[in-house]
């Protein structure tokens, strides 16, 4: 974490505190580096009500994480269609649940690591999970937001 924070300028006390808190939350206290997409019918209808307006529409995807990811993330955030497999390949990963081909490409460009052809690195390597999280935090202006809070 220290190396990732240093690389992306997460250095002020308030920035580090905010970053760590968000990572703790998104990764369930550093215990999960991969989005859990194993939903029941009822939960699918709550999480994605427009995509699953009826129990019948949700039943096709309940208990099928890969099929669900390919459907709900199709055509979003740089992903191809459902048949491309991008939804599953680029599902929420790492400490901040990096999602979508475009975010994996951005992280790859910023770090020099090939997360597009090896997205599993973000889900299996603590170093890459931290690095991509720090990149996302920095790239989306979270350091600035924390500093603007004026609590440092």
């Amino acid at each position: 974490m220290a190396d990732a924070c240093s690389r992306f300028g997460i250095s002020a006390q308030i920035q580090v505190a905010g970053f760590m808190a968000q990572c703790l939350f998104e990764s369930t206290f550093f215990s999960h580096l991969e989005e859990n997409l194993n939903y029941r019918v009822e939960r699918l209808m709550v999480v994605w009500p427009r995509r699953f307006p009826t129990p019948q529409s949700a039943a096709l995807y309940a208990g099928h994480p890969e099929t669900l990811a390919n459907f709900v993330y199709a055509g979003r955030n740089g992903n191809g269609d459902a048949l491309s497999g991008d939804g599953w390949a680029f599902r929420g990963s790492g400490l901040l649940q990096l999602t979508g081909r475009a975010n994996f490409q951005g992280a790859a460009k910023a770090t020099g690591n090939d997360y597009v052809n090896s997205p599993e690195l973000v889900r299996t390597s603590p170093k890459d999970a931290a690095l991509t999280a720090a990149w996302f935090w920095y790239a989306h202006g979270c350091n600035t937001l924390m500093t603007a809070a004026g609590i440092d």
Side-chain angles (χ1 to χ4, degrees):
M1 291 295 284
D3 289 342
C5 286
S6 177
R7 184 163 178 180
F8 288 99
I10 304 169
S11 56
Q13 186 176 4
I14 190 67
Q15 294 168 344
V16 173
F19 177 67
M20 293 297 291
Q22 194 63 41
C23 287
L24 281 164
F25 177 79
E26 296 284 342
S27 68
T28 315
F29 294 91
F30 299 120
S31 66
H32 294 90
L33 295 180
E34 180 176 345
E35 179 179 14
N36 180 359
L37 289 161
N38 193 16
Y39 287 93
R40 293 174 303 169
V41 167
E42 300 79 17
R43 188 69 182 146
L44 285 171
M45 293 173 62
V46 170
V47 175
W48 290 288
R50 283 184 274 165
R51 289 190 175 88
F52 304 110
T54 66
Q56 294 78 15
S57 62
L60 299 170
Y61 298 91
H64 302 285
E66 186 171 351
T67 305
L68 175 63
N70 286 329
F71 174 68
V72 298
Y73 294 138
R76 303 179 67 182
N77 203 5
N79 287 347
D81 64 18
L83 296 177
S84 72
D86 282 354
W88 182 248
F90 303 111
R91 66 192 178 277
S93 303
L95 294 176
L96 290 184
Q97 299 300 303
L98 191 70
T99 306
R101 178 181 283 274
N103 279 319
F104 280 74
Q105 287 172 327
K109 183 177 180 181
T111 65
N113 298 326
D114 191 358
Y115 299 127
V116 176
N117 289 309
S118 299
E120 70 281 354
L121 289 173
V122 184
R123 295 184 284 275
T124 60
S125 163
K127 177 183 174 187
D128 292 296
L131 194 58
T132 57
W135 164 77
F136 187 88
W137 177 269
Y138 173 80
H140 288 85
C142 296
N143 271 343
T144 302
L145 291 172
M146 295 305 296
T147 302
I151 304 171
D152 195 40

